[in-house]
Amino acid sequence: MYVEMKHINKTFDGFLASDNVSFGVEKGHLAALLGPSGSGKTTILRMIAGLDKPDSGDILINGVLVNHLPGSKRGIGFVFQNYALFRYMTVEENIAFGLEVQKRHKTEIRNRVKELLELVSMEELGRRYPHQLSGGQRQRVAFARALAPNPQLLLLDEPFAAIDAKVRRELRTWLKEMIERVGITSIFVTHDQEEAMEVADTIIITNQGRIEQIGTPEDICKNPGTDFVKDFVDIKRYEALKQIAKIC
C-alpha cells in the first residue's frame, strides 16, 4: 500500500472524529472517502496532509512513518474545495508559486508551468486572473498548481462542490483521465455517491468517525457490508450508472 492509516484516533473538544480508522490505498489508485456530513472524511484527509495530528495511530506514505513530518515534507499536493487561488496572481503565477517557494531555477519553473498549462488545456489562459475564469477553469488551475512540484500523493477536498452540476460531470471525467495519465496516487473527499462510483478505483465509506466498508464500486454496489452501507447506498442510482457508464 502506498498510503496507510493504522488505528488512527482523533478527538476535537470531546468529539471523536476518527475512531480506530485503518485503511490502505494502492500506488496509482484513485480512492474516494465517501460519507455523510460529519462522518470524518475531511479529518482523515487533513491528517494525511499533516494539517491535523492524530491522537494515536500511525500514518505511512510509501512505507515512511509521517506522523511528525510537516505537510511540506510529505510530498503531497492538496486541492481545496474553494480552489484557494491567489486572486492577484495570474494563472501562470499561481501554478508557479510552489516551485518558487522551493527556489527552483527560473527556466525549470517556466518549462513546468508550460507543461501543466498544456496538461489542463489552458495554454491560452496563462495571463488571466482567477476572476476572469469559470469555476471549472479555476479548478483546473488548482489541480495544475497542486501537481507543479511533482508530488507523490494528491489530496482533494470535495473538489467539485463549488461547481454547477453540468460542469461537475464534465470535470469528473476530466479528473479521472488526468490522474490516470499522470499516474499519481490520489484520495478525494465527497458526499456524492454518483461521483465516487464514477471516478474512484476504491471507495472508503465513513460513518460517525469509523470506516464502514472499503471496496471497489462494484463490491460496494453488489455487497454492502453493513446495515449503514445498505441504507446509505442508493442501489437504483448505481444500477442507472451501470447502464450508462458500465461502472458496476
Side-chain angles (χ1 to χ4, degrees), residues 42-60:
T42 296
T43 297
I44 290 171
L45 203 73
R46 288 177 60 86
M47 286 190 288
I48 296 172
L51 300 175
D52 290 322
K53 290 184 178 180
D55 298 331
S56 62
D58 293 328
I59 302 172
L60 294 94

Side-chain angles (χ1 to χ4, degrees), residues 2-3 25 29 48-49 60-61 74-78 146-147 150-155 184-187:
Y2 190 78
V3 180
V25 177
H29 275 218
I48 296 172
L60 294 94
I61 299 176
R74 296 188 183 189
I76 289 171
F78 203 109
L147 288 179
N150 284 309
Q152 299 305 302
L153 175 63
L154 182 66
L155 305 178
I184 186 172
T185 307
S186 306
I187 303 172

Side-chain angles (χ1 to χ4, degrees), residues 165-203:
K166 180 182 178 182
V167 177
R168 191 183 310 142
R169 180 176 292 277
E170 293 171 356
L171 270 184
R172 288 203 300 252
T173 302
W174 173 83
L175 178 68
K176 185 173 180 65
E177 291 174 352
M178 288 300 100
I179 288 175
E180 288 175 353
R181 186 184 304 178
V182 176
I184 186 172
T185 307
S186 306
I187 303 172
F188 74 101
V189 163
T190 184
H191 62 270
D192 186 321
Q193 298 176 32
E194 181 177 328
E195 189 168 282
M197 290 292 289
E198 185 175 335
V199 175
D201 301 307
T202 302
I203 297 176

Side-chain angles (χ1 to χ4, degrees), residues 7 27 65-66 95 109-110 124 151 168 177 180 194 198 223-224 233 238:
H7 308 295
K27 186 174 178 61
L65 184 67
V66 299
I95 296 172
I109 293 174
R110 187 167 56 250
E124 307 301 320
R168 191 183 310 142
E177 291 174 352
E180 288 175 353
E194 181 177 328
E198 185 175 335
N223 302 297
V233 169
Y238 292 162

Side-chain angles (χ1 to χ4, degrees), residues 55-223:
D55 298 331
S56 62
D58 293 328
I59 302 172
L60 294 94
I61 299 176
N62 198 22
V64 176
L65 184 67
V66 299
N67 290 42
H68 302 294
L69 276 181
S72 59
K73 302 293 185 182
R74 296 188 183 189
I76 289 171
F78 203 109
V79 178
F80 295 91
Q81 180 177 344
N82 63 352
Y83 322 124
L85 299 177
F86 300 110
R87 56 180 177 168
Y88 297 116
M89 290 185 181
T90 65
V91 167
E92 290 177 347
E93 290 167 342
N94 266 282
I95 296 172
F97 179 78
L99 300 172
E100 290 175 346
V101 169
Q102 294 178 347
K103 300 187 184 304
R104 302 282 188 91
H105 192 278
K106 288 184 178 181
T107 301
E108 180 186 356
I109 293 174
R110 187 167 56 250
N111 290 340
R112 181 63 172 156
V113 169
K114 182 176 182 294
E115 176 186 348
L116 287 165
L117 285 171
E118 291 174 355
L119 179 70
V120 299
S121 301
M122 294 184 65
E123 301 97 313
E124 307 301 320
L125 304 179
R127 300 296 176 88
R128 290 194 183 181
Y129 289 88
H131 74 272
Q132 298 174 306
L133 305 174
S134 68
Q137 288 170 335
R138 287 196 292 270
Q139 192 59 285
R140 291 183 186 224
V141 176
F143 180 79
R145 186 179 64 181
L147 288 179
N150 284 309
Q152 299 305 302
L153 175 63
L154 182 66
L155 305 178
L156 308 101
D157 187 9
E158 300 215 39
F160 310 123
I163 301 169
D164 66 63
K166 180 182 178 182
V167 177
R168 191 183 310 142
R169 180 176 292 277
E170 293 171 356
L171 270 184
R172 288 203 300 252
T173 302
W174 173 83
L175 178 68
K176 185 173 180 65
E177 291 174 352
M178 288 300 100
I179 288 175
E180 288 175 353
R181 186 184 304 178
V182 176
I184 186 172
T185 307
S186 306
I187 303 172
F188 74 101
V189 163
T190 184
H191 62 270
D192 186 321
Q193 298 176 32
E194 181 177 328
E195 189 168 282
M197 290 292 289
E198 185 175 335
V199 175
D201 301 307
T202 302
I203 297 176
I204 303 161
I205 297 184
T206 59
N207 176 41
Q208 296 183 336
R210 299 185 301 272
I211 303 297
E212 289 279 345
Q213 187 171 352
I214 303 171
T216 65
E218 183 174 2
D219 291 337
I220 289 170
C221 181
K222 292 182 176 178
N223 302 297

